[in-house]
Amino acid sequence: MSYHELWRMLTSVYEDDEAQAVARMVYEARFRLSLSDICIGKDTQLSADSQTQLEEIAQRLLNQEPVQYVLGETTFAGRTFKVTPDVLIPRPETAELCEWIDTSISPSGKRVLDIGTGSGCIAITLALAWPEADVTAWDISAEALAVAQENAEHLGARITFRQVDILMEAPASWEGVGECYLIVSNPPYITVREATAMEHNVLDWEPHRALFVPDNDPLLFYRAIARYAQQALEPQGWLYFEINPLYADELHRLLDTMGYHHVETKKDQYDKQRMIRAQR
């Protein structure tokens, strides 16, 4: 099977441009063939074992399994992260959140907490940007924490991981009162009613616990995290979230009523309100 054959095959489940991009990811990540290699025909010179592997990959992709899970990795903020179905696939919008944080505040030497770390992409990106910061990452899932720990070790990030359910009553002993300079989170924020509009390669494969919130309480995790941050943030400390654009105004009002200052939303590259920050 050649690159062009895989590309054409994938158009049965993807739009043409996306099918092409997925095929390129397969050849680059699994077989280390660049576009230049493909142009000179190296994709037609794979060994028998590689061809068998390629056929297995193609079948999984035709079942709409995300290419990142098939390959076991994805690129985030210029680095390669391991991903499994136990964690959400990191998105470019989340990398934009990390960039916003990195260019607007400087927590070097201070405490940083990432709540709902998943693959560890936010915590690791920030820890590598600020090697003097004391970074902790929480997740409810032991399986997700195992993936995040492996990513941190592979990428050389110094992070403390803990299994914590933020929806449980948050005792001060979790991180200490007034000790964090930055709390950041990309929590579950898609309401169940929105699932009907989602692509099958997301809905059928990515962990629902990391995606969905009840229709009647779309700010469930934001409220819990913001309440905890009221005691855990140091004075003038910062709270950053990735958000659902549908509830940006409602979340802005919530943070205002909770006494946060300098509440600000920011659009992503697709012109959607995707991030918000607030200061204690």
Side-chain angles (χ1 to χ4, degrees):
M1 184 189 306
S2 69
Y3 162 75
H4 290 283
E5 288 171 331
L6 178 61
W7 172 8
R8 286 194 296 270
M9 184 183 298
L10 294 178
T11 58
S12 65
V13 292
Y14 293 105
E15 295 292 332
D16 187 67
D17 288 349
E18 189 172 4
Q20 183 180 11
V22 169
R24 282 189 61 181
M25 286 178 64
V26 169
Y27 276 90
E28 290 176 358
R30 184 56 55 87
F31 303 110
R32 305 305 176 192
L33 294 181
S34 67
L35 187 58
S36 296
D37 293 326
I38 292 169
C39 288
I40 62 175
K42 287 189 176 181
D43 59 312
T44 65
Q45 301 169 17
L46 295 177
S47 68
D49 286 345
S50 293
Q51 280 290 344
T52 298
Q53 187 179 149
L54 181 58
E55 290 170 6
E56 293 172 352
I57 289 171
Q59 188 56 55
R60 292 173 68 181
L61 293 172
L62 290 173
N63 288 333
Q64 299 193 49
E65 183 176 353
V67 63
Q68 295 89 344
Y69 291 155
V70 174
L71 298 174
E73 65 181 48
T74 193
T75 300
F76 179 85
R79 299 182 178 93
T80 300
F81 283 76
K82 174 182 177 178
V83 290
T84 75
D86 293 312
V87 300
L88 288 182
I89 298 165
R91 265 62 172 190
E93 299 92 319
T94 308
E96 290 185 68
L97 173 64
C98 292
E99 182 180 9
W100 188 29
I101 295 170
D102 189 27
T103 56
S104 58
I105 63 174
S106 180
S108 182
K110 297 189 177 183
R111 300 191 73 173
V112 174
L113 174 61
D114 174 26
I115 298 177
T117 196
S119 66
C121 60
I122 294 176
I124 291 168
T125 299
L126 296 180
L128 293 175
W130 306 314
E132 300 304 316
D134 180 5
V135 181
T136 298
W138 293 352
D139 204 284
I140 190 175
S141 166
E143 293 79 10
L145 288 170
V147 174
Q149 180 71 58
E150 187 172 341
N151 281 324
E153 291 172 359
H154 176 71
L155 292 167
R158 183 176 55 86
I159 299 171
T160 300
F161 293 99
R162 297 182 64 184
Q163 187 173 9
V164 175
D165 180 358
I166 190 61
L167 296 183
M168 300 292 288
E169 186 66 27
S173 60
W174 274 1
E175 283 303 315
V177 175
E179 293 186 359
C180 291
Y181 177 72
L182 166 66
I183 293 178
V184 57
S185 182
N186 175 21
Y189 60 63
I190 301 171
T191 56
V192 175
R193 69 170 69 94
E194 294 175 74
T196 56
M198 295 174 68
E199 298 290 341
H200 285 288
N201 62 347
V202 175
L203 188 60
D204 295 346
W205 293 95
E206 298 198 54
H208 285 198
R209 183 163 63 175
L211 287 170
F212 293 112
V213 288
D215 289 338
N216 64 353
D217 195 3
L219 302 185
L220 173 65
F221 286 92
Y222 297 104
R223 186 183 308 105
I225 294 168
R227 185 181 300 122
Y228 173 67
Q230 286 177 315
Q231 63 173 338
L233 283 174
E234 64 179 57
Q236 311 304 313
W238 286 96
L239 179 61
Y240 280 75
F241 287 122
E242 184 173 324
I243 66 175
N244 185 333
L246 296 175
Y247 302 101
D249 292 342
E250 188 176 341
L251 178 55
H252 195 297
R253 289 192 295 270
L254 173 67
L255 294 172
D256 280 336
T257 60
M258 294 182 74
Y260 285 95
H261 308 287
H262 305 112
V263 182
E264 177 186 1
T265 56
K266 184 175 174 63
K267 292 183 177 180
D268 64 17
Q269 60 185 310
Y270 305 110
D271 202 36
K272 293 184 177 181
Q273 296 285 3
R274 185 64 67 182
M275 304 158 248
I276 195 167
R277 70 174 185 173
Q279 191 172 31
R280 182 182 171 201

